[in-house]
Amino acid sequence: MKTAIIIGANSYIARNLIHFINQNEEMKIIGLYDFSDKQIDDEIPYSKINIKSKDSVSLINMNCDIIYMFIGKTGSANGFTDYETFIDINELALLNVISEYINQKSKAKIVFPSTRLIYKGQDFPLTEGAEKEFKTIYALNKFACENYLRQYHEIYGINYCILRICVPYGTMIESASSYGTAEFMLNKAINGEDIVLYGDGHQRRTLINMKDLCNIFYLAGLSENCINDVFNVGGEDYSLKEMAELLAKKYKVKISFIDWPEIAKKIESGSTIFNDEKLKNKLGNVIKYSFSEWVKEN
């Protein structure tokens, strides 16, 4: 049985992943870490840490097989005004973990979530080597972190696996929400409000259900083939308009199209559709759940 720790145990994906791992038998969680006094779902063993403090990070036990690194701050326009927090919680946090990894002579694999926002939007499926474009501080943070992992592997031999995620949706834990695109639309529809889209909603995204995403994080952590490389996480291809239409039809609400706010238009990435053949070659085709079925169930 492989052993794992999760840093950032109170985050949306982490909470779901903890639940998923606890239902399977090939991995055991031996440590959960975050800055809060307790783990939201009362999972154990849990320890409070200050990710910005090297002394605090030194308390993390990295004598394990897998380190899931979920501490991070997401956002778009707010990164330009809150840049110190974005750099501290995204880049400095990872560098502190890597530094302690080296100090402890850990051999674990660091599994790190990255984002679609590092890509230049295109109207065709993007491979891992596709053109990059950074319109926000957050996008730069994530790409910097990807490169920190690669550089420290080349110089110090650390092990890592980067999983680039487009748009996750759904949850296995009722109180865990992403506040992402799908949930934003769903909440509007449930409350009887129009779903509002900027422009014409033509931008396309690769959607992945949280159950599938957790399975991929689980399998990638276990796999000896998913190491020291970066992988796109696949799913289903939908436009924002198509997503909204499914939800609007079910809840009998309308879709409103409005002009782009100035800043939102400047930082919009365009369509990001993932080619995930590279990951499929390592794990097989493990995607099981569909967005349309999720809409029916909610």
Side-chain angles (χ1 to χ4, degrees), residues 28-264:
K28 179 181 179 181
I29 296 172
I30 62 169
L32 301 171
Y33 304 90
D34 213 319
F35 65 89
S36 300
D37 290 332
K38 57 179 286 188
Q39 203 279 333
I40 293 175
D41 307 299
D42 293 320
E43 297 285 356
I44 55 174
Y46 177 78
S47 299
K48 178 180 179 179
I49 61 163
N50 176 3
I51 198 66
K52 295 188 289 184
S53 164
K54 287 186 177 181
D55 288 340
S56 185
V57 171
S58 70
L59 301 176
I60 298 175
N61 177 13
M62 299 187 185
N63 183 21
C64 58
D65 299 302
I66 305 149
I67 299 171
Y68 288 106
M69 178 61 179
F70 286 112
I71 282 184
K73 183 171 178 61
T74 63
S76 51
N78 56 326
F80 293 101
T81 54
D82 195 17
Y83 53 84
E84 289 179 324
T85 302
F86 274 73
I87 292 171
D88 285 349
I89 303 301
N90 293 319
E91 297 185 43
L92 181 63
L94 178 62
L95 289 169
N96 282 342
V97 168
I98 292 173
S99 177
E100 186 56 32
Y101 177 109
I102 295 168
N103 290 340
Q104 293 188 25
K105 297 181 172 57
S106 177
K107 299 299 180 183
K109 180 198 299 184
I110 300 174
V111 181
F112 182 80
S114 191
T115 175
R116 70 176 183 87
L117 295 170
I118 68 169
Y119 288 114
K120 179 179 175 63
Q122 305 284 356
D123 292 324
F124 52 81
L126 303 166
T127 64
E128 288 80 359
E131 185 178 357
K132 308 298 185 295
E133 184 176 50
F134 312 102
K135 292 192 171 184
T136 63
I137 300 293
Y138 175 68
L140 274 172
N141 289 155
K142 281 296 189 179
F143 195 61
C145 287
E146 288 190 12
N147 282 279
Y148 295 148
L149 288 164
R150 177 184 57 80
Q151 290 168 343
Y152 275 88
H153 165 69
E154 293 173 352
I155 297 172
Y156 292 97
I158 75 163
N159 297 309
Y160 69 92
C161 172
I162 297 165
L163 298 174
R164 291 177 182 156
I165 307 166
C166 195
V167 176
Y169 67 90
T171 182
M172 291 176 281
I173 301 173
E174 186 175 347
S175 62
S177 175
S178 72
Y179 304 104
T181 304
E183 280 77 6
F184 176 79
M185 291 184 184
L186 176 63
N187 289 335
K188 286 283 189 182
I190 286 175
N191 291 322
E193 301 176 33
D194 288 357
I195 300 173
V196 179
L197 298 178
Y198 295 149
D200 59 9
H202 74 278
Q203 306 96 315
R204 306 194 72 82
R205 303 282 188 263
T206 295
L207 310 183
I208 183 165
N209 187 282
M210 181 52 62
K211 295 176 183 177
D212 283 329
L213 183 59
C214 285
N215 189 34
I216 286 172
F217 269 94
Y218 179 77
L219 295 174
L222 292 172
S223 175
E224 295 181 357
N225 296 319
C226 293
I227 192 163
N228 303 325
D229 209 343
V230 58
F231 303 93
N232 285 340
V233 174
E236 299 179 287
D237 172 16
Y238 274 84
S239 72
L240 299 182
K241 181 181 178 183
E242 289 167 346
M243 293 171 64
E245 286 172 341
L246 282 174
L247 289 162
K249 181 179 179 180
K250 176 176 179 178
Y251 291 98
K252 297 179 174 56
V253 298
K254 297 179 180 180
I255 303 172
S256 298
F257 299 92
I258 64 173
D259 291 338
W260 283 89
E262 183 179 359
I263 293 179

